[in-house]
Amino acid sequence: MSVLILAEHDGQHLKQATRQAVTAAQAWGLPVHLLLLGADTAAVAGHAAQVAGVARVLRVDAPQFEHPLAEDVAAAIVNLARDYKVVLAGHTAFAKNALPRAAALLDVAMLADVIAITAPATYVRPVYAGNVLATVESSDPIQVLTVRTTAFAAAETGGAAEVVTLAAPAASGLSRWVGETRNVSDRPELATARVVISGGRSLGERFEEVLGPLAQLLNGALGATRAAVDAGFAPNDIQIGQTGTVVAPELYIAAGVSGAAQHLAGMKDSKVIVAINHDPDAAIFQVADYGLVADLFEAVPQLTAALKN
Amino acid sequence: MKALVAVKRVVDHNVQVHIKPDGSGVETAGVKMSINPFDEIAVEEALRLKERGVVTEIVAVTLGEAVAQDVLRHALAMGADRAVLVEAHGELQPLGVAKLLKAVVEREQPGLILLGKQAIDDDAGQAGQMLAALLGAAQGTFASAVTVQGDEVEVVREVDGGTETVALKLPAVLTADLRLNEPRFVKLPNLMMAKKKPIEQLTADGLGVDAAPRLKRLKVATPPHRAPGVKVNSVAELAQKLREAKVV
Ligand SMILES: Cc1cc2nc3c(=O)[nH]c(=O)nc-3n(C[C@H](O)[C@H](O)[C@H](O)COP(=O)(O)OP(=O)(O)OC[C@H]3O[C@@H](n4cnc5c(N)ncnc54)[C@H](O)[C@@H]3O)c2cc1C
């Protein structure tokens, strides 16, 4: 029996989340196979085969995987899964969409956002916005799970997996890809950035103007609270929290963030947390290593200047 | 077209949860319970589709103990036409939820099935996808815009790095994200009126569904607390601390 990882890629490179899933997959001490779905996975298969800890790369090329839809992804997983003990992926929008569908088709439970694998079928996962950690045991013959990427280091290169090409099941025809919008930025990807500068709704229309230069200086990504995103001051994909992205960078600077439980759920495992807020009682100070009670419109540019020198 | 909306009763999002002294679970006795916020967004979307003339009837359904009727009353007060309670005892997990909902869908034959993208108690985020799988239907998860056109529904989905738009054959299962809409306020007279509306009662056994949990909860615990930090007095001091910590 082996472990099957649903890989995520952009046609060229694996997503960091997949490398993190590879690390998590070592918990079973079984061979690890990577499932690559795409229109043409030749290039990415070459990279995937070099990830240490991967024994086999399974390529499934089909036109419907140019923009993989949950219906087809789940079908491809189900096609293979009965030969595996574990099916896993990083806890990304892609996997959150497809894996529960595959699990239900296999008639097994799924574990979402696992932060630790303590025994072959025992997992720790956050519930209630991370205020509670639940340890759960699965009795299903196939374990289907997503892992919280910040809880596992990314696997290194240095492997030499065999690459096998498999046929795709027919497209479901239930759904069709129409289009996408990408929030392009030349900053590092939020989920894996070493530094995250995050802002709340009080930044208003000046979100980018105030936080951008600090992010630029520290080569950081921008993050936001739900309130800032809801108000249209920041794009949806940078919302941090229970219902957004979970990050754990080396440095997290929260400016004008109140520190609601739902926000803390997405950043409280950061290594160093800085809070800048003019309310000395703001909840964010309870998780901050360094707190500065100040007006962010003055303090953030001053900090940017101070760190430049 | 009929819309079915699944709603869950959860600990209110403003409540600071506490673990039971024996570590077996989270204390829910005497705690404020509410409709899961994402499910409320799903109800609101159904109402808007009805107001646009796309949906003709809205059926709200919940699963669990009889007390879960609260959230059905809430959905009725918002404007749902009918409500169904499937009584089921013990812990319900996403796969069991999907199986129960499938049985209700087969009775009701809705064209659209709406759920929240996740429940804020177990944060599993699976019920919608699992239901779609069991129905052999298309799924539009993390929806931030929904448009029905002919026999398709177009869904804008919030994904990592932006949004994605998909077109799904009906019937389809949708799960609501935060920015799909802002749910209306429930007015007190509506709530009073909703109290008088009948709620159809079904049972898991009656539906012939085995919704037994597959996952066993061994224990729950609070996550480790961060060591208390310090307040700095100036930007200069902050910059110095960050240099000392070697993070800049
Ligand atoms: C179901 C659900 C899911 C949610 N999911 C998320 C999630 O994933 N992520 C998330 O972030 N939130 C989430 N929320 C929302 C969360 O509860 C809070 O409402 C939100 O995080 C608050 O955002 P904020 O800090 O920007 O705004 P506010 O709470 O309004 O706080 C603004 C803060 O800015 C400070 N401030 C204002 N002006 C200045 C200034 N000039 N200088 C310095 N400080 C200033 C204020 O003192 C205050 O602390 C969710 C809520 C629900 C119900």
Side-chain angles (χ1 to χ4, degrees), chain A residues 20 27 46 50 76 121 125-127 144 152 165 181 209 221 225 259 262 284:
Chain A
Q20 288 157 323
Q50 291 168 25
R125 55 178 303 269
V127 293
V144 179
F152 300 91
T165 303
T181 58
E209 172 204 327
T225 66
Q262 293 87 359
I284 190 74

Side-chain angles (χ1 to χ4, degrees), chain A residues 199-203 224-230 239-245 252 255-266 276-284 292-298, chain B residues 13-14 36-38 41 117-118 120 178-179:
Chain A
R201 85 171 111 203
S202 49
L203 279 139
T225 66
R226 172 192 174 181
V229 177
D230 282 359
Q239 178 181 313
I240 289 174
Q242 178 188 20
T243 56
T245 300
Y252 188 93
V257 171
S258 59
Q262 293 87 359
H263 186 81
L264 301 186
I276 301 173
N277 195 305
H278 66 189
D279 172 8
D281 297 324
I284 190 74
L292 178 66
V293 180
D295 184 315
L296 73 92
F297 292 102
E298 288 168 17
Chain B
H13 66 90
N14 281 316
N36 177 42
F38 290 96
I41 297 172
K117 80 160 178 179
Q118 78 191 71
I120 60 164
L178 289 171
R179 280 163 285 277

Side-chain angles (χ1 to χ4, degrees), chain A residues 69-304:
Chain A
L69 299 164
E71 295 78 7
D72 296 322
V73 174
I77 294 170
V78 170
N79 221 9
L80 300 169
R82 288 183 216 280
D83 296 331
Y84 287 87
K85 188 177 164 58
V86 182
V87 177
L88 93 165
H91 191 63
T92 62
F94 175 66
K96 286 191 261 186
N97 190 29
L99 273 198
R101 187 173 179 105
L105 293 173
L106 294 166
D107 193 32
V108 299
M110 180 180 143
L111 293 119
D113 208 11
V114 166
I115 59 168
I117 300 156
T118 54
T122 307
Y123 310 92
V124 181
R125 55 178 303 269
V127 293
Y128 289 93
N131 286 307
V132 176
L133 298 180
T135 303
V136 284
E137 186 182 51
S138 162
S139 55
D140 281 320
I142 307 172
Q143 311 278 302
V144 179
L145 61 144
T146 57
V147 293
R148 178 171 287 202
T149 54
T150 56
F152 300 91
E156 306 282 339
T157 47
E162 61 169 330
V163 179
V164 177
T165 303
L166 303 175
S172 80
L174 290 169
S175 57
R176 165 165 84 71
W177 189 85
V178 176
E180 64 184 3
T181 58
R182 290 272 161 240
N183 298 320
V184 279
S185 125
D186 45 16
R187 300 206 178 94
E189 198 187 330
L190 177 61
T192 53
R194 201 190 62 84
V195 175
V196 174
I197 315 291
S198 133
R201 85 171 111 203
S202 49
L203 279 139
E205 301 291 350
R206 297 179 62 195
F207 197 92
E208 174 69 38
E209 172 204 327
V210 175
L211 301 185
L214 185 54
Q216 193 75 27
L217 180 72
L218 301 177
N219 190 26
L222 286 187
T225 66
R226 172 192 174 181
V229 177
D230 282 359
F233 303 139
N236 67 282
D237 63 310
I238 70 166
Q239 178 181 313
I240 289 174
Q242 178 188 20
T243 56
T245 300
V246 175
V247 298
E250 294 279 306
L251 174 62
Y252 188 93
I253 301 183
V257 171
S258 59
Q262 293 87 359
H263 186 81
L264 301 186
M267 45 65 74
K268 67 178 176 208
D269 292 330
S270 304
K271 204 152 157 237
V272 171
I273 298 175
V274 172
I276 301 173
N277 195 305
H278 66 189
D279 172 8
D281 297 324
I284 190 74
F285 287 123
Q286 285 164 23
V287 300
D289 299 283
Y290 306 111
L292 178 66
V293 180
D295 184 315
L296 73 92
F297 292 102
E298 288 168 17
V300 174
Q302 283 170 7
L303 181 64
T304 311

Side-chain angles (χ1 to χ4, degrees), chain A residues 2-9 12 14 18 22 31-38 40-61 80 84 159-167:
Chain A
S2 316
V3 178
L4 183 67
I5 295 179
L6 173 64
E8 200 172 341
H9 62 90
Q12 290 297 321
L14 287 178
T18 301
V22 170
V32 173
H33 298 179
L34 267 191
L35 175 60
L36 278 181
L37 307 173
D40 176 5
T41 58
V44 66
H47 292 291
Q50 291 168 25
V51 176
V54 176
R56 189 180 296 168
V57 175
L58 308 173
R59 286 182 57 190
V60 181
D61 286 14
L80 300 169
Y84 287 87
E162 61 169 330
V163 179
V164 177
T165 303
L166 303 175

